[in-house]
Amino acid sequence: MTRLAARALLAVVFWPSLFFFWFLGPFVFFLLSTTSSEVCPRLETRAEFLAADNGALPMLVLQNLLYAVPIICLLLWTRLLPDNTRTGRVVICIKLFAVAAVLGALWEYGSSLVCDGYGQPFFSPAWRMTSYLPIANLAVNLPLYVLVFSLGRAFSMREDETADDAIHHDENAL
């Protein structure tokens, strides 16, 4: 397989996964989450509470694995086209992704602690602090999205044809 074909294959995986997993994924996982208001009254015993709470763990692992697909594509692109500047940016993406994954997992697991196992709301001081995690996660995810999008665009463009040449080529074709 040629480098161009490998880059094209990575682009075919990268762009849909970026769109579906990073932009639409949070809505899907929110709809699938078990943190609805009907859960608390149904949890009568501590065992039921712990079973429901720990049932969220496989979904959190699956979610982070799916979210890692665009980062893996960036890593593979870096292997195909080594460039020190882009490699440094990919490392920044990996670090931001790790922080975002931890913050997201803490918030989602914490939000599954809606009640204390006896049907009573769980409003400890720790719970009140986790309510700010989505704001911190958003502050980490916005630069991550911009950086990953720009890197994906740079990696998926052909090097022998710059963006200006492509615009002029398209204008001449018309």
Side-chain angles (χ1 to χ4, degrees):
M1 181 182 317
T2 66
R3 283 184 182 239
L4 186 60
R7 287 175 62 190
L9 183 61
L10 283 172
V12 167
V13 172
F14 175 82
W15 290 111
S17 68
L18 186 70
F19 177 72
F20 288 113
F21 297 151
W22 283 24
F23 298 125
L24 296 180
F27 299 112
V28 171
F29 283 111
F30 179 73
L31 292 174
L32 294 175
S33 73
T34 60
T35 59
S36 68
S37 59
E38 295 114 21
V39 173
C40 267
R42 291 186 292 167
L43 299 177
E44 297 294 328
T45 66
R46 188 57 125 179
E48 289 174 334
F49 168 71
L50 290 175
D53 192 38
N54 291 332
L57 291 176
M59 174 138 335
L60 289 175
V61 170
L62 174 67
Q63 180 179 347
N64 284 327
L65 288 175
L66 289 176
Y67 286 169
V69 170
I71 301 294
I72 293 168
C73 288
L74 288 178
L75 285 170
L76 293 173
W77 264 325
T78 303
R79 301 273 301 169
L80 284 174
L81 300 166
D83 180 9
N84 289 337
T85 306
R86 288 182 187 165
T87 302
R89 290 182 182 164
V90 170
V91 169
I92 291 171
C93 285
I94 293 169
K95 290 177 182 177
L96 286 173
F97 179 77
V99 169
V102 168
L103 288 175
L106 283 174
W107 178 70
E108 290 177 31
Y109 187 73
S111 67
S112 67
L113 301 172
V114 173
C115 50
D116 66 357
Y118 299 103
Q120 302 299 318
F122 184 72
F123 294 112
S124 71
W127 171 250
R128 282 185 240 135
M129 293 304 291
T130 61
S131 65
Y132 294 107
L133 286 176
I135 297 168
N137 204 3
L138 185 64
V140 171
N141 275 322
L142 283 177
L144 176 64
Y145 289 172
V146 170
L147 190 57
V148 168
F149 184 83
S150 66
L151 280 170
R153 185 172 181 270
F155 276 125
S156 61
M157 288 184 65
R158 290 182 55 171
E159 288 183 355
D160 60 337
E161 184 176 329
T162 63
D164 293 333
D165 292 339
I167 291 171
H168 294 297
H169 185 312
D170 291 339
E171 288 174 357
N172 292 335
L174 295 175

